[in-house]
Amino acid sequence: MREIIFDTETTGLESKSDRVIEIGGIELINNFPTGRTLHLYINPGDRKVHPDALAVHGITDEFLKDKPSFGEVAQQIIEFFDGAKWIAHNATFDMGFMNAEFGRLGLPPVMSDQVIDTLAMARRKHPMGPNSLDALCRRYGIDNAHRTKHGALLDSELLAEVYIEMTGGRQTALGLMGNERSATVAEVDEVVAAVTGRPRPLTPRLTEAELEAHAAMVASLKDKAVWLKYRPAE
């Protein structure tokens, strides 16, 4: 199964008027990262970055001036996501923007059955919350100390680890750690358990009459009785 964990950064909060200015994606196949990524900065045309959005992601109008338009990278995005599930945290927000961008180009929208929202997953799994990306990183012991501002690729990398934890746990997440950390049977410490006998036997629960009835039934079966295999040696 092929999935793309992705995130976007935008000029503001209104998908009908604001624009996508960054997209990052991480490819997973069968819940393992393949190493394939997508990371693009996008020129929003005449739409300026809102100061509140700038405070979140730090991407300036000046930085975006020489970047390609969405129309110039749309095919690259479509090819990267082709045949995969689109997975995002609060996917309604990201997909609203992506589908608005596709719509401006006359391209079909991504249908809801192709989208997985990890925020909805987290709310079902952890109904008491909190379920922000930072909170989930803390919950699952994922280091996000380097996340001082939002960034599409960095957030995608963190979300990929969170998603793997929510769907498979550390057994699968070992794939993110590189070959030197891959789990093998040889690396598992030997566990030795000491088994001791009971200090005194349990009190029998069968009555003498039940024991005699069972013995008679075994005798009637003769050599076919399976219980004869477990008869104490005389």
Side-chain angles (χ1 to χ4, degrees):
M1 178 174 61
R2 185 168 178 269
E3 301 167 311
I4 304 295
I5 310 289
F6 80 102
D7 183 51
T8 63
E9 300 299 340
T10 64
T11 59
L13 299 177
E14 298 296 329
S15 60
K16 292 181 179 179
S17 55
D18 283 302
R19 306 296 298 271
V20 173
I21 56 175
E22 184 187 11
I23 182 169
I26 306 289
E27 182 185 61
L28 302 183
I29 293 182
N30 296 330
N31 235 26
F32 282 87
T34 66
R36 286 191 67 209
T37 63
L38 174 76
H39 188 210
L40 299 168
Y41 289 104
I42 299 167
N43 187 327
D46 58 1
R47 188 69 181 182
K48 301 301 182 184
V49 176
H50 192 280
D52 291 344
L54 178 63
V56 171
H57 53 59
I59 303 172
T60 65
D61 296 321
E62 183 67 25
F63 175 79
L64 296 169
K65 281 173 59 175
D66 62 346
K67 302 303 182 286
S69 68
F70 192 91
E72 292 174 292
V73 299
Q75 190 58 37
Q76 184 179 351
I77 294 171
I78 291 169
E79 289 175 358
F80 185 76
F81 280 85
D82 184 42
K85 292 285 188 181
W86 298 58
I87 302 174
H89 203 63
N90 192 14
T92 301
F93 177 87
D94 297 280
M95 293 314 305
F97 274 90
M98 292 303 297
N99 281 335
E101 294 285 4
F102 289 143
R104 293 183 185 103
L105 299 173
L107 296 171
V110 178
M111 305 307 291
S112 59
D113 62 356
Q114 287 298 108
V115 180
I116 295 173
D117 187 351
T118 54
L119 178 57
M121 288 178 60
R123 285 171 174 168
R124 289 192 298 269
K125 193 174 182 65
H126 310 295
M128 301 303 292
N131 289 307
S132 67
L133 181 56
D134 284 334
L136 291 170
C137 285
R138 290 192 296 272
R139 180 185 293 276
Y140 291 115
I142 296 166
D143 182 11
N144 65 338
H146 49 307
R147 188 188 189 233
T148 56
K149 283 188 178 293
H150 288 230
L153 186 60
L154 172 60
D155 287 1
S156 297
E157 291 170 346
L158 293 173
L159 183 57
E161 294 195 62
V162 167
Y163 178 71
I164 287 170
E165 286 288 356
M166 287 199 295
T167 57
R170 289 292 183 186
Q171 309 95 300
T172 306
L174 288 168
L176 288 173
M177 301 177 183
N179 292 335
E180 70 279 3
R181 295 288 300 280
S182 295
T184 65
V185 174
E187 291 173 345
V188 178
D189 293 335
E190 182 181 2
V191 177
V192 178
V195 180
T196 60
R198 290 182 178 275
R200 61 178 181 273
L202 292 174
T203 303
R205 297 182 179 181
L206 297 175
T207 65
E208 288 296 328
E210 289 171 331
L211 291 172
E212 290 175 2
H214 178 72
M217 185 268 294
V218 171
S220 70
L221 295 174
K222 300 182 179 179
D223 293 340
K224 296 180 181 180
V226 69
W227 290 274
L228 296 175
K229 296 179 180 180
Y230 305 100
R231 183 172 51 190
E234 297 179 356

